Amino acid sequence: MAVGPMKMRATIAGGNTDVRVLMTHPMTTAQSGQPLHFIQNVVVKQNGKTVLEAEISQAVSRNPVFTFRLKGGAKGDKIEVSWVDNKGDSNKIESAVA
Amino acid sequence: MKRFLAASLLAAALPLAAQDTRKEIQRYQQMIADGSPVELFELEGETLWKKPQGPRNISLEKCDLGLGPGVLKGAYARLPRYFKDADRVMDLEARLLHCMTTLQGRSREEATKRVFGNENEPSEMEYLSAYVAAQSRGMKMAAGTSHPKEKEAFELGRAMFFHRAGGWDMSCASCHGEEGKRIRMQDLPVLSKPEFARPIVATWPAYRVSNSQFKTMQWRINDCYRQMRYPEPKFASDATIALSTYLAVTAAGEPYRGPGTKR
Amino acid sequence: MKTTRRTLIAALGALLLKPLAAFAAWNEQAFGAKTAADALKTLGASSPAASKDIMIEAPQIAENGAVVPIEVSSSIPGTSSIAVLIEKNPFPLAGRFEFRDGALPYVKLNVKMGETSDVRVIATAGGKHFAASREIKVTIGGCGG
Amino acid sequence: MKALFVLGLIPVAVCAQDVQKVLQRDFQPRGQATMDRVVQDGVQRVCTESNDRPPAQLAKQLEADQLKTIAFPQGSLIGDWKNGERIAQNGRGGQWTDAPGAAGGGSCYNCHQLSPQEASFGTLGPSLLRFGATRGNGPEIQRYVYGKIYNAKAYNLCSQMPRLGYSGTLTPEQIKDLVALLLDPSSPVNK
């Protein structure tokens, strides 16, 4: 199944970097009768360095939207967010801080 | 001074639970709008807008939404409106269908096979509506009102809004006719009044968090008639366009803020 | 024969090249726990101290349990991770966030809630665990048709 | 449709017949929702044309006709309030997405407050909290509640309340269970 798009906006707010990222993913739970299919890991990198690692479950809503906050940072910093799901599918997006 | 005092006493007398509930529901609505994945649907819509399709293998990039072929900026805010080439008032979905059949050479039957999607597979109309509507963000809504057929659509829409029929003797006004009313926890805006119609029409089409689906105005009208125990309105028929014309004209002047995020 | 051998090698090669991240850590036991207490035990945070320095920003009433927006942050010095649990969900642990140097102990996310429940947030700092919780009412919106 | 408007001039206001013709052209049957549902009966036509404010004399006549449509069962009209609560919570019944013959619901909580435990209630209709506790549960009030649920238009011609029995959405048994929910002293509504 083709992996859906991601969208990210990283901006400087109050001296820190706010990273808002949207991920297309069904995040199906066993209750919905379909097989479990959800994002398990999310990694956030700032200028190549991993600054945040998350493990999440199918309790996160469909088409997840996260906001993370990184210390300091400046315009042009490279932010990369990637995810991997329980089927091994993955996607990532990279953009510069606006 | 006394009247003011009495009024504030009266306001305090309202059961606090009811006041809090409404305030909390609005806070919930604000928070889901902030954290909404609706932009993902705009992205997919852009891909579809540019994707060559149909027997003629052409994209929709030359589709004229009323401001000239391929002009997207502000086009949605001016719909529904009269289109000379079709001699008909059209809303966004009717116009997209027109371009699919005329530009791409697709049959109406194929293009309308699946106009309402589901959470696993949104429809073309839903993705395209998200993308096109987003290009009117911030622009004042101004549906067509000058052409005789636009006036006709508005009058028909208004009459439909108050027309009682169907298995439960209902009209739109049965639920959207009295201020301050709710169905369960859902506030019911009086859509026949500009001040209540504006914030609503300005946020359709919309992403519905309750079922993670992106919904269009044609779906909204279709699903209301389903719950009013009517038979089904035909997709993009004059009746549905008349009703959305009535709502859009009633809401005219409001800056478009969609695509929205709703319960 | 040759072609089948070549395709076999190619397939094997593809498997090895699968991004290593695909097999990253995921705490099966904690996420599989059916009660908040069990989840916390596997995280080694069985008896967290109540703390007012954990902020939970969430609506008191959610019109629908499919998307409940929650904003969490910790002002406990040295907070290295935050866990979010939905008490009454079939599997309470919803997510664990580890903050390396560079990331502030803050996250905003949407979670699913099966019914009205407490949302419990556990912050870990200097090896110690702290907790805060907030009830969120989940109602049925709409005409239920 | 053309006769509908004097071309070029401001269109003549659209009357109920005109709307009905449009619905008959632009709607289609689906599931149990057949096209006869867009053909207005007297109640729907009078309420539409009078904007829900029918002339008193005409309203009285039509309400009397509607009253005749109610077949009151014999004996007690109080059923099982527990089942009544389920019916009140259930918003289905009569839609094209509902299987014909499947048990429908009354959608009562969409518009009314009933049991105090249910916080998600509507306000289109009056709150029915403690209805039985304040009105008692003798034969007259049982008959009024049963009749009102079966055909609300017999008591108030242009009421927004659906004619739940007359439209076939609810069976007499289901209506008796709702009567119990409202009047039975042991119902949560009356606690």
Side-chain angles (χ1 to χ4, degrees):
Chain A
M1 186 192 87
V3 170
M6 291 174 75
K7 186 157 185 180
M8 175 160 68
R9 200 168 40 249
T11 51
I12 299 293
N16 295 316
T17 307
D18 273 1
V19 177
R20 181 169 181 273
V21 60
L22 291 76
M23 309 169 181
T24 302
H25 201 285
M27 302 298 282
T28 47
T29 65
Q31 277 148 350
S32 53
Q34 296 146 321
L36 268 174
H37 185 203
F38 61 95
I39 291 174
Q40 293 186 321
N41 295 88
V42 175
V43 174
V44 180
K45 289 186 181 160
Q46 185 181 36
N47 294 329
K49 191 181 69 174
T50 297
V51 290
L52 187 146
E53 279 184 296
E55 294 167 52
I56 60 173
S57 81
Q58 70 271 25
V60 170
S61 302
R62 184 186 187 105
N63 298 330
V65 178
F66 292 103
T67 303
F68 303 117
R69 188 160 289 161
L70 313 182
K71 224 183 322 200
K75 258 203 174 69
D77 281 354
K78 282 274 166 293
I79 306 292
E80 183 202 279
V81 178
S82 57
W83 59 259
V84 179
D85 69 18
N86 63 325
K87 285 187 176 157
D89 288 338
S90 63
N91 198 355
K92 71 175 173 20
I93 188 167
E94 189 187 308
S95 71
V97 173
Chain B
M1 189 26 211
K2 212 151 43 18
R3 208 153 36 72
F4 167 73
L5 199 64
S8 56
L9 283 178
L10 180 65
L14 264 178
L16 276 179
Q19 264 177 330
D20 287 354
T21 318
R22 183 179 300 266
K23 203 159 38 61
E24 275 311 312
I25 295 279
Q26 271 144 12
R27 188 152 151 253
Y28 169 74
Q29 284 163 352
Q30 184 48 46
M31 286 185 83
I32 54 174
D34 298 343
S36 166
V38 69
E39 290 155 61
L40 295 172
F41 287 82
E42 294 167 29
L43 273 176
E44 292 275 5
E46 183 174 13
T47 315
L48 269 174
W49 177 261
K50 294 171 176 163
K51 182 179 169 208
Q53 290 199 77
R56 297 223 185 91
N57 202 26
I58 291 177
S59 79
L60 291 171
E61 286 161 299
K62 285 283 170 285
C63 175
D64 182 347
L65 296 172
L67 300 181
V71 177
L72 286 164
K73 194 124 195 65
Y76 180 71
R78 306 285 297 278
L79 293 173
R81 66 189 301 171
Y82 174 77
F83 284 88
K84 203 165 181 322
D85 55 14
D87 186 25
R88 191 176 162 234
V89 177
M90 298 171 126
D91 64 3
L92 174 59
E93 288 157 271
R95 193 57 188 172
L96 288 170
L97 184 56
H98 175 83
C99 290
M100 288 174 182
T101 49
T102 54
L103 287 181
Q104 300 183 318
R106 297 163 64 175
S107 74
R108 183 186 172 86
E109 198 247 338
E110 180 272 322
T112 55
K113 196 160 20 56
R114 214 174 67 84
V115 287
F116 303 135
N118 56 44
E119 61 183 5
N120 295 318
E121 222 189 317
S123 74
E124 262 186 278
M125 284 294 178
E126 285 152 358
Y127 279 135
L128 288 166
S129 298
Y131 174 58
V132 173
Q135 313 306 316
S136 283
R137 208 172 277 145
M139 303 196 178
K140 281 203 171 14
M141 295 192 300
T145 54
S146 51
H147 190 279
K149 287 210 166 180
E150 287 166 345
K151 294 190 173 82
E152 179 184 323
F154 176 84
E155 287 302 332
L156 173 57
R158 172 165 49 191
M160 284 174 68
F161 190 85
F162 296 99
H163 185 84
R164 297 186 67 176
W168 279 12
D169 321 322
M170 296 178 81
S171 70
C172 310
S174 299
C175 292
H176 296 284
E178 225 184 311
E179 283 176 49
K181 293 295 182 184
R182 277 196 336 239
I183 278 192
R184 291 229 179 218
M185 299 300 265
Q186 178 69 48
D187 284 340
L188 291 166
V190 179
L191 297 173
S192 49
K193 291 200 173 127
E195 75 262 36
F196 299 112
R198 284 200 190 101
I200 300 299
V201 181
T203 49
W204 275 95
Y207 180 75
R208 293 195 74 194
V209 292
S210 47
N211 49 29
S212 311
Q213 294 179 40
F214 188 83
K215 291 299 178 187
T216 65
M217 183 51 91
Q218 280 287 327
W219 174 85
R220 178 60 282 170
I221 292 172
N222 179 290
D223 202 52
C224 262
Y225 277 111
R226 176 181 69 84
Q227 292 179 76
M228 290 199 282
R229 275 71 181 172
Y230 276 68
E232 182 175 36
K234 292 173 186 165
F235 178 74
S237 56
D238 286 344
T240 58
I241 292 169
L243 194 52
S244 52
T245 297
Y246 172 63
L247 297 175
V249 171
T250 304
E254 179 80 0
Y256 180 67
R257 290 198 300 277
T261 300
K262 294 178 183 285
R263 175 184 56 74
Chain C
M1 210 342 249
K2 215 148 54 52
T3 51
T4 49
R5 202 159 48 76
R6 199 182 310 115
T7 47
L8 185 64
I9 291 169
L12 197 59
L15 195 62
L16 287 177
L17 290 177
K18 205 177 200 22
L20 226 54
F23 305 100
W26 190 71
N27 195 327
E28 194 89 26
Q29 219 190 347
F31 283 106
K34 290 208 169 49
T35 67
D38 291 349
L40 290 182
K41 206 181 310 146
T42 50
L43 295 174
S46 313
S47 47
S51 161
K52 285 199 218 45
D53 298 332
I54 298 173
M55 189 275 290
I56 306 175
E57 177 71 20
Q60 275 176 10
I61 297 175
E63 271 186 307
N64 191 284
V67 174
V68 181
I70 295 177
E71 189 178 22
V72 177
S73 65
S74 157
S75 54
I76 300 168
T79 301
S80 58
S81 78
I82 284 180
V84 176
L85 298 99
I86 317 292
E87 192 83 41
K88 292 220 180 100
N89 270 7
F91 300 98
L93 182 60
R96 256 190 87 257
F97 302 85
E98 276 179 26
F99 310 102
R100 297 278 182 283
D101 55 28
L104 295 170
Y106 167 94
V107 64
K108 190 171 157 197
L109 70 160
N110 295 329
V111 292
K112 299 174 194 169
M113 290 179 62
E115 55 183 291
T116 296
S117 164
D118 275 356
V119 171
R120 293 180 66 190
V121 175
I122 311 295
T124 304
K128 287 208 218 52
H129 306 289
F130 304 87
S133 74
R134 146 81 62 86
E135 189 198 50
I136 299 181
K137 285 197 192 61
V138 175
T139 68
I140 330 164
C143 330
Chain D
M1 256 304 266
K2 210 69 244 80
L4 201 57
F5 296 94
V6 178
L7 206 59
L9 296 179
I10 296 173
V12 171
V14 181
C15 69
Q17 271 97 351
D18 303 324
V19 174
Q20 182 167 304
K21 280 201 216 81
V22 169
L23 300 184
Q24 287 170 313
R25 181 197 68 202
D26 287 357
F27 280 56
Q28 60 200 6
R30 184 168 172 185
Q32 62 173 291
T34 47
M35 286 302 286
D36 56 290
R37 295 185 179 187
V38 297
V39 179
Q40 287 185 315
D41 71 357
V43 172
Q44 296 168 343
R45 177 60 53 85
V46 163
C47 293
T48 297
E49 289 183 340
S50 67
N51 222 339
D52 292 341
R53 285 186 298 278
Q57 191 50 29
L58 179 57
K60 280 281 162 288
Q61 276 167 352
L62 290 176
E63 282 166 3
D65 295 345
Q66 291 299 306
L67 194 60
K68 295 195 193 80
T69 70
I70 309 169
F72 290 93
Q74 293 307 326
S76 162
L77 297 174
I78 294 192
D80 164 15
W81 69 262
K82 289 196 188 66
N83 200 27
E85 171 69 11
R86 272 193 295 278
I87 295 167
Q89 291 279 0
N90 181 351
R92 285 179 297 285
Q95 300 168 121
W96 70 61
T97 42
D98 301 322
S107 298
C108 312
Y109 279 108
N110 281 1
C111 302
H112 295 284
Q113 178 178 26
L114 291 122
S115 312
Q117 294 77 9
E118 179 55 72
S120 178
F121 59 86
T123 55
L124 281 167
S127 166
L128 302 173
L129 201 60
R130 301 186 51 71
F131 186 89
T134 50
R135 310 286 178 92
N137 51 35
E140 302 77 30
I141 191 73
Q142 283 181 38
R143 189 178 169 81
Y144 167 68
V145 173
Y146 184 93
K148 178 83 173 174
I149 296 173
Y150 189 93
N151 185 339
K153 269 72 173 182
Y155 305 86
N156 169 12
L157 188 69
C158 297
S159 161
Q160 296 301 342
M161 181 164 171
R163 298 177 274 188
L164 292 165
Y166 177 77
S167 63
T169 305
L170 293 178
T171 63
E173 273 322 300
Q174 289 179 304
I175 295 176
K176 283 167 69 176
D177 290 342
L178 285 174
V179 173
L181 182 64
L182 284 171
L183 299 183
D184 189 326
S186 56
S187 158
V189 167
N190 296 316
K191 280 284 186 295

